[in-house]
């Protein structure tokens, strides 16, 4: 099983999210921006597998390919896939190994449709493995530890926006906002404001669902956080 060498053009809604994230990356130190962006590209790549796969077995095979490909980055040249090549060029030199990133796959596996409801245990497993690993890895590039809990809260907030069941969405969203409020209560250090800015935007999505990515109020909120850390 292989993955295409280049990603397809994302839908407009995803492009708007990616543009917002690019703004957040701009608040990071220049030395870490390429790695920051590459890790977000990896997250989008993994998300696209679930979005484009209707058969759980096929989704599992594709995620397994990525798990193995990430682990191989530590001992083999990156294959001809732009995301993997960017990780090798800008993330591994920052001290993040492919094996450190591979557990993100487990977070997406937790969402594969097996006919069972999306309960709190699976939500937490997804959030810890996806967001926790992602934010901890970006934090390492930024020279900041302790970012995993913020990443888990961010992932819960992002997931809550995509759950179809109203009761589950409401419950998950309330938990995510509470956790984000707690994680964002202290003033964010300047080097990590791009990363914490992603969490601010996720909370804005739950507090103001009418303000879609690209809304000027979201950009203003991100800029205020980048300036003040609040």
């Amino acid at each position: 099983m292989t993955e295409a060498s280049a990603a397809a053009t994302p839908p407009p809604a995803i492009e708007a999210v990616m543009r917002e994230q690019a703004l957040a990356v701009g608040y990071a130190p220049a030395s870490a921006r390429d790695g920051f962006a590459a890790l977000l590209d990896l997250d989008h790549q993994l998300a696209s597998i679930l979005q484009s796969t209707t058969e759980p077995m096929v989704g599992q095979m594709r995620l397994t390919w990525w798990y193995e490909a990430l682990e191989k980055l530590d001992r083999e040249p990156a294959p001809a896939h732009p995301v993997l090549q960017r990780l090798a060029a800008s993330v591994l030199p920052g001290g993040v190994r492919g094996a450190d990133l591979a557990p993100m796959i487990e977070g997406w596996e937790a969402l594969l449709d097996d006919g069972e409801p999306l309960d709190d245990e699976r939500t937490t497993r997804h959030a810890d493995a996806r967001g926790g690993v992602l934010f901890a890895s970006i934090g390492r590039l930024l020279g900041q530890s302790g970012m995993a809990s913020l990443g888990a809260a961010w992932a819960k907030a992002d997931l809550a926006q995509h759950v179809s069941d109203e009761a589950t969405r409401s419950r998950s969203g309330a938990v995510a906002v509470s956790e984000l409020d707690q994680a964002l209560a202290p003033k964010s250090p300047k080097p990590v404001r791009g990363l914490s800015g992603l969490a601010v935007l996720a909370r804005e999505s739950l507090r103001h669902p009418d303000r879609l990515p690209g809304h000027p109020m979201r950009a203003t909120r991100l800029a205020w956080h980048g300036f003040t850390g609040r």
Side-chain angles (χ1 to χ4, degrees):
M1 183 78 179
T2 59
E3 288 287 302
S5 60
T9 301
I14 301 300
E15 285 188 331
V17 172
M18 295 172 73
R19 285 195 295 270
E20 274 196 343
Q21 291 185 344
L23 290 176
V25 170
Y27 289 100
S31 60
R33 288 174 192 165
D34 285 347
F36 192 161
L39 287 166
L40 292 177
D41 282 349
L42 172 62
D43 186 62
H44 284 292
Q45 181 70 48
L46 299 178
S48 73
I49 292 175
L50 266 72
Q51 293 165 352
S52 62
T53 302
T54 56
E55 294 294 332
M57 183 61 70
V58 174
Q60 181 67 68
M61 293 173 64
R62 294 178 69 188
L63 288 171
T64 297
W65 185 93
W66 274 94
Y67 188 96
E68 295 173 350
L70 289 170
E71 286 201 318
K72 288 179 181 178
L73 286 178
D74 296 331
R75 58 183 185 274
E76 298 178 12
H81 190 291
V83 172
L84 292 168
Q85 291 183 340
R86 290 188 71 187
L87 292 173
S90 59
V91 175
L92 270 62
V96 179
R97 300 176 304 151
D100 298 326
L101 300 173
M104 287 180 66
I105 304 302
E106 299 170 11
W108 290 104
E109 287 176 338
L111 301 185
L112 286 173
D113 186 7
D114 57 3
E116 296 296 323
L118 185 62
D119 57 18
D120 292 344
E121 187 275 331
R122 289 173 64 189
T123 297
T124 298
R125 183 152 45 97
H126 166 75
D128 289 345
R130 176 203 178 188
V133 171
L134 178 65
F135 273 50
S137 300
I138 297 172
R140 187 175 302 175
L141 299 181
L142 299 171
Q144 184 78 21
S145 61
M147 304 303 294
S149 59
L150 180 63
W154 165 84
K156 286 181 182 178
D158 186 66
L159 180 61
Q161 298 169 59
H162 297 93
V163 174
S164 58
D165 180 71
E166 177 62 34
T168 302
R169 181 168 63 248
S170 178
R171 183 180 72 253
S172 298
V175 170
V177 168
S178 176
E179 292 183 1
L180 286 170
D181 283 345
Q182 181 176 0
L184 292 169
K187 181 178 180 179
S188 295
K190 190 171 183 179
V192 301
R193 289 178 190 171
L195 187 55
S196 55
L198 295 180
V200 168
L201 289 174
R203 185 173 62 182
E204 287 294 295
S205 293
L206 295 176
R207 286 180 170 175
H208 306 285
D210 57 319
R211 299 177 187 173
L212 299 178
H215 193 286
M217 290 298 293
R218 291 171 61 90
T220 299
R221 181 65 184 91
L222 177 62
W224 175 253
H225 180 74
F227 181 68
T228 66
R230 299 290 188 183

